[in-house]
Each structure stands twice: as C-alpha cells, then as structure tokens.
Amino acid sequence: MKKWLVILGLSIIFLSLFLIATYQSSISKLNDDKKDAEEIVLNQGYLKSVETSDYFHGKEQAIVVSGKDDANNEMIAWVQDGEVITRKKSEGLTQ
C-alpha cells in the first residue's frame, strides 16, 4: 500500500512540474513579444513612457501598449508585425 502511495505522490509531482514547465515555455514567447513591442513604441518616439501592455487576439493579433507621449497625453498604441498605430485615449477608445 505504501508503495502505491509513493508512486502516486511522485506521479503527481512530476505531472505538476511538467505542466508548469509547459506553461512557462508557452508564455515566454508572449512576454518577449510584449517587450519588443514596448521597445518599438519607445524607440520610434510614439510614446515616452509605457504604463501597460497587453496581447490582443481577435481576428487580427496585436500588442496593445498604453502610455504617455511627449505632450503628456495618454495614448494607446497597437503594434502589429512592427507597424504601429497610435490614438489618444481621450478619443473614446477603451482597452
């Protein structure tokens, strides 16, 4: 009986470790894409500071970055395949 409990416990531990490793490897690409999008927006001068960045996946996929521009206006930028579209947050767009 003890043998079965040990085997069951070890199986649960190894399964948990496998699932955690799989999750981390799949989310790391997303985090890298977010960092790249933030760098593009900052380096090309669309925003001077970044508050948040989120991944949008609808019909088309994009990284949505919100922050402030040089005039201290709250802006939202959509980064898709290296192309950037920016709009003022006050224009009625939601996140």
Side-chain angles (χ1 to χ4, degrees):
M1 186 70 175
K2 276 185 169 181
K3 184 178 180 180
W4 286 106
L5 290 175
V6 170
I7 291 172
L8 179 66
L10 289 175
S11 298
I12 290 172
I13 289 171
F14 286 124
L15 179 64
S16 298
L17 290 175
F18 173 75
L19 292 174
I20 289 170
T22 303
Y23 174 77
Q24 286 180 342
S25 67
S26 65
I27 203 76
S28 68
K29 170 93 169 85
L30 176 62
N31 289 335
D32 290 343
D33 289 346
K34 283 184 180 181
K35 287 179 186 176
D36 291 342
E38 289 176 6
E39 287 179 15
I40 289 171
V41 169
L42 291 172
N43 291 338
Q44 293 182 3
Y46 292 103
L47 299 176
K48 86 173 171 184
S49 66
V50 172
E51 294 174 8
T52 62
S53 62
D54 294 308
Y55 186 71
F56 173 78
H57 46 72
K59 289 182 181 178
E60 297 179 7
Q61 299 172 350
I63 306 292
V64 181
V65 182
S66 64
K68 295 189 177 186
D69 65 359
D70 291 331
N72 217 19
N73 296 323
E74 291 187 4
M75 302 289 287
I76 298 176
W78 291 265
V79 181
Q80 184 178 24
D81 299 328
E83 296 181 24
V84 181
I85 299 171
T86 58
R87 300 285 186 267
K88 288 185 180 180
K89 190 174 182 181
S90 63
E91 290 179 1
L93 299 172
T94 61
Q95 291 184 345

